[in-house]
């Protein structure tokens, strides 16, 4: 049995973002086994030997360095030898040439597959280049290094003259998978366009959607300007937000929660925990209230998968965090099993990691529902964009004292403005109103959480 190891990758530890083989696969020399991705580039680790994969020694998300074993492989040569021995020992075995066939066949299959893939790629490239709108095929020279994709996806995109910025990645860290690329091409082929040859993203997207081209303005005619590239996070989150905005039929319901009593409790708790350096903000209570509301309205804790609604039995809550480089959404896992103090601590840790740009991919994954709090900044209401594949998001703004009529007089009450955006394919208006009402009731009287 041979172990295939990570070759010299420049003395760094790099995460595995793709497993390209599974146990039982036949591989040839140079068949890619895994994809690694550093901050700057992705690379495949090829097999140094031909044979059959017997064991995968790593998993997705592991970080590896030079010399780490990736898979155990039964070499083509040893398959042949073992089976030859078996054939010699067992008189009933028809022919000893069979093992040779096995070894050769598996290698041939890989070679044949590779060849047929190349042929298919060539045909696809021809078809796509002849059929895709000019503005999609004209961007071959643009830099694509900031888009996460395996070398094979990059290669195919290059061959098609397609810039990866056009493709929305659905994989880990918004990675553009083989499927993403293919579905983009499929959609482009179906939609078609004869629009202009300008290669700006906005224009390409508008032409795909059959919209007017993005306005091209020479701003310098009106005054001085300065160009500043978007940050990497902004580009990634922008692509996600754009997809979510376009693909999800959003509706936003607004609500007000009377948090007068809850705020008193929060202030009291903060006094108690001050010495321990723990600060409890309203967000921790919002996370807990969100869990209660998701339990009460399970449709909100779901994702659409084709014609099925996948209902989740776990409660992971994401919260939007503003960082110098843009918006990220860390996820608090199993929020249902954590108390307010623990939630506040974890939130503070995740928010710090987010601001320092140190969040790991798994700390931003697995969310069921998101909360976007602008409470520390200001504003009254807004329309948050749903974080797909989730089906709803709660946005809150700054609480303020309002005169509320109590049946006799106007009383000063602390009112939190809430804005719930929901996916109308999954949720109806009445259900959303009930969710919001319940959410506000829990915040108004937190004892309800125990019911
Ligand atoms: N109403 C009134 N005050 C509020 C409030 C609310 N809804 N929410 C928070 N505050 C107060 C806090 O109590 C705190 O006050 P203090 O300093 O006097 O104690 C202050 O505002 C700052 O709170 P903040 O540091 O923002 O903590 P948080 O727990 O509320 O939020 C983050 C943490 C990470 C979510 C927040 O810093 C952040 O990044 N928000 C922006 C999210 C965003 O960009 N959303 C938009 C997506 S489109």
């Amino acid at each position: 049995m041979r172990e295939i190891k990570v070759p010299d990758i420049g003395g760094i530890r790099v995460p595995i973002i793709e497993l390209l083989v599974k146990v039982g696969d036949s591989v040839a020399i140079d068949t890619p086994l895994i994809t690694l991705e550093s901050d700057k580039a992705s690379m495949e680790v090829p097999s140094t030997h031909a044979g059959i994969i017997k064991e995968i020694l790593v998993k997705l998300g592991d970080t590896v360095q030079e010399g780490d074993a990736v898979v155990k492989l039964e070499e083509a040569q040893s398959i042949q030898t073992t089976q030859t021995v078996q054939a010699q020992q067992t008189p009933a075995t028809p022919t000893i040439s069979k093992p040779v066939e096995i070894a050769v066949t598996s290698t041939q299959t890989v070679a044949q597959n590779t060849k047929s893939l190349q042929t298919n790629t060539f045909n696809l490239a021809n078809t796509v280049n002849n059929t895709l709108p000019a503005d999609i095929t004209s961007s071959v020279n643009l830099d694509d290094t900031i888009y996460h994709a395996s070398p094979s996806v990059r290669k195919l995109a290059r061959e098609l003259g397609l810039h990866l910025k056009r493709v929305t990645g659905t994989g880990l860290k918004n990675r553009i998978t083989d499927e993403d690329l293919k579905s983009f091409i499929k959609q482009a082929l179906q939609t078609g366009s004869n629009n202009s040859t300008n290669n700006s993203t906005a224009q390409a997207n508008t032409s795909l959607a059959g919209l007017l081209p993005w306005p091209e303005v020479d701003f310098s005619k009106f005054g001085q300007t300065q160009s500043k590239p978007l940050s990497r996070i902004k580009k990634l989150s922008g692509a996600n937000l754009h997809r979510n905005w376009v693909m999800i039929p959003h509706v936003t319901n607004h609500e007000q929660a009377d948090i007068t009593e809850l705020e008193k409790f929060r202030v009291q708790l903060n006094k108690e925990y001050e010495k321990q350096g723990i600060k409890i903000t309203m967000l921790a209570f919002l996370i807990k209230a969100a869990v209660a509301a998701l339990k009460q309205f399970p449709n909100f804790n779901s994702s659409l998968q084709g014609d099925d609604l996948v209902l989740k039995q776990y409660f992971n809550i994401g919260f939007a965090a503003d960082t110098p480089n843009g918006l990220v959404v860390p996820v608090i896992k199993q929020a249902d099993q954590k108390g307010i103090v623990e939630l506040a601590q974890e939130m503070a840790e995740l928010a710090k990691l987010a601001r320092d740009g140190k969040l790991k991919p798994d700390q931003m994954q697995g969310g069921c529902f998101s909360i976007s709090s602008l409470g520390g900044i200001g504003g009254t209401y807004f329309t948050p964009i749903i974080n797909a594949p989730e089906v709803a998001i709660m946005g809150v703004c700054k609480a303020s004292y309002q005169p509320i009529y109590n049946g006799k007089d106007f009383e000063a009450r602390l009112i939190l403005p809430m804005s719930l955006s929901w996916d109308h394919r999954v949720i109806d208006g009445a259900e959303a109103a009930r969710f919001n009402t319940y959410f506000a009731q829990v915040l108004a009287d937190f004892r309800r959480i125990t019911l």
Side-chain angles (χ1 to χ4, degrees):
M1 201 75 69
R2 178 174 291 276
E3 285 187 347
I4 309 292
K5 296 183 175 166
V6 176
D8 179 5
I9 50 171
I12 48 169
R13 287 191 76 84
V14 188
I16 298 173
I17 51 151
E18 240 173 357
L19 295 176
L20 302 168
V21 289
K22 54 185 187 318
V23 170
D25 281 359
S26 298
V27 294
I29 292 173
D30 283 344
T31 299
L33 303 173
I34 54 171
T35 310
L36 306 176
E37 186 163 80
S38 70
D39 288 344
K40 297 194 177 61
S42 59
M43 62 204 119
E44 286 172 351
V45 173
S47 183
T48 48
H49 292 75
I52 293 175
I53 305 285
K54 289 291 168 191
E55 199 181 338
I56 311 264
L57 302 168
V58 288
K59 52 184 192 317
L60 213 58
D62 281 358
T63 55
V64 289
Q65 62 185 1
E66 180 182 354
D68 285 349
V70 176
V71 297
K72 277 189 185 166
L73 184 105
E74 188 174 6
E75 280 187 78
Q77 185 59 37
S78 65
I79 298 167
Q80 177 187 337
T81 317
T82 318
Q83 299 204 2
T84 306
V85 171
Q86 278 172 358
Q88 283 165 348
Q89 285 172 348
T90 317
T93 307
T95 160
I96 61 162
S97 66
K98 200 172 175 196
V100 181
E101 264 172 42
I102 293 171
V104 173
T105 309
S106 36
T107 317
Q108 270 179 347
T109 310
V110 173
Q112 276 161 2
N113 284 345
T114 310
K115 201 165 174 197
S116 93
L117 189 67
Q118 279 163 355
T119 317
N120 287 342
T121 307
F122 176 74
N123 289 340
L124 185 61
N126 272 351
T127 316
V128 170
N129 276 327
N130 290 335
T131 324
L132 276 182
D135 52 359
I136 291 177
T137 57
S138 62
S139 56
V140 69
N141 292 327
L142 295 177
D143 166 48
D144 62 9
T145 51
I146 50 158
Y147 298 93
H148 297 277
S150 68
S152 57
V153 168
R154 286 175 189 282
K155 185 166 176 279
L156 180 56
R158 262 199 310 277
E159 283 168 3
L160 297 174
L162 169 64
H163 195 284
L164 290 177
K165 75 198 281 185
R166 309 270 153 86
V167 187
T168 303
T170 61
L172 197 69
K173 282 166 73 179
N174 302 310
R175 182 174 189 71
I176 298 166
T177 64
D178 195 40
E179 275 309 304
D180 295 333
L181 186 61
K182 285 178 186 157
S183 58
F184 177 87
I185 293 165
K186 212 163 140 190
Q187 193 197 344
L189 288 171
Q190 279 164 1
T191 313
S193 164
N194 51 13
N195 238 318
S196 84
T197 54
N198 188 297
N199 65 13
S200 83
T201 312
Q203 179 148 4
N205 290 342
T206 56
S207 63
L208 273 178
L211 301 175
L212 284 175
W214 191 257
E216 290 283 332
V217 179
D218 177 7
F219 299 106
S220 65
K221 281 202 293 197
F222 306 105
Q224 266 198 341
T225 61
Q226 190 193 2
S227 273
K228 183 179 155 202
L230 285 176
S231 71
R232 188 170 165 276
I233 290 183
K234 278 228 161 87
K235 278 186 187 167
L236 288 171
S237 61
N240 276 291
L241 290 165
H242 188 188
R243 177 200 56 206
N244 301 347
W245 181 249
V246 169
M247 290 184 73
I248 303 173
H250 281 72
V251 184
T252 306
N253 282 33
H254 304 290
E255 182 56 277
Q256 296 184 327
D258 183 337
I259 58 165
T260 316
E261 303 308 321
L262 188 57
E263 177 63 7
K264 283 183 199 157
F265 182 46
R266 188 187 76 84
V267 170
Q268 171 64 33
L269 278 182
N270 271 332
K271 276 187 199 144
E272 288 171 25
Y273 284 92
E274 197 177 2
K275 283 203 181 101
Q276 294 176 45
I278 296 171
K279 184 178 171 189
I280 298 165
T281 63
M282 197 45 74
L283 194 50
F285 291 99
L286 291 168
I287 290 171
K288 209 67 196 160
V291 170
L294 293 179
K295 284 186 177 167
Q296 198 79 7
F297 300 92
N299 277 352
F300 284 76
N301 191 6
S302 72
S303 286
L304 260 184
Q305 240 174 32
D307 288 339
D308 287 338
L309 202 55
V310 180
L311 292 155
K312 295 157 199 167
Q313 316 286 320
Y314 53 87
F315 299 87
N316 298 341
I317 311 292
F319 64 94
D322 185 31
T323 79
N325 289 319
L327 179 72
V328 291
V329 186
V331 174
I332 299 205
K333 306 271 165 55
Q334 299 180 321
D336 56 319
Q337 292 167 35
K338 294 172 183 166
I340 292 292
V341 178
E342 194 180 351
L343 288 173
Q345 279 177 300
E346 191 172 335
M347 221 185 63
E349 281 160 22
L350 288 170
K352 181 169 185 333
L353 286 174
R355 279 192 295 273
D356 296 346
K358 289 186 180 157
L359 274 180
K360 297 198 191 100
D362 70 308
Q363 289 172 314
M364 291 182 278
Q365 288 167 352
C368 302
F369 180 86
S370 298
I371 298 177
S372 176
S373 171
L374 296 174
I377 304 168
T380 48
Y381 298 95
F382 69 117
T383 52
I385 298 180
I386 297 166
N387 188 14
E390 295 165 18
V391 297
I393 179 169
M394 177 63 83
V396 299
C397 288
K398 197 175 182 66
S400 62
Y401 279 96
Q402 306 282 328
I404 302 293
Y405 192 61
N406 63 13
K408 269 191 185 167
D409 309 301
F410 282 96
E411 228 186 301
R413 305 291 296 177
L414 187 60
I415 301 299
L416 177 76
M418 300 161 41
S419 306
L420 175 79
S421 292
W422 40 278
D423 183 337
H424 210 339
R425 294 170 301 176
V426 177
I427 293 153
D428 292 326
E431 205 180 358
R434 284 189 200 106
F435 183 94
N436 250 355
T437 306
Y438 178 78
F439 205 116
Q441 281 171 346
V442 169
L443 293 176
D445 186 348
F446 223 69
R447 291 171 305 180
R448 285 183 182 277
I449 220 128
T450 58
L451 296 178

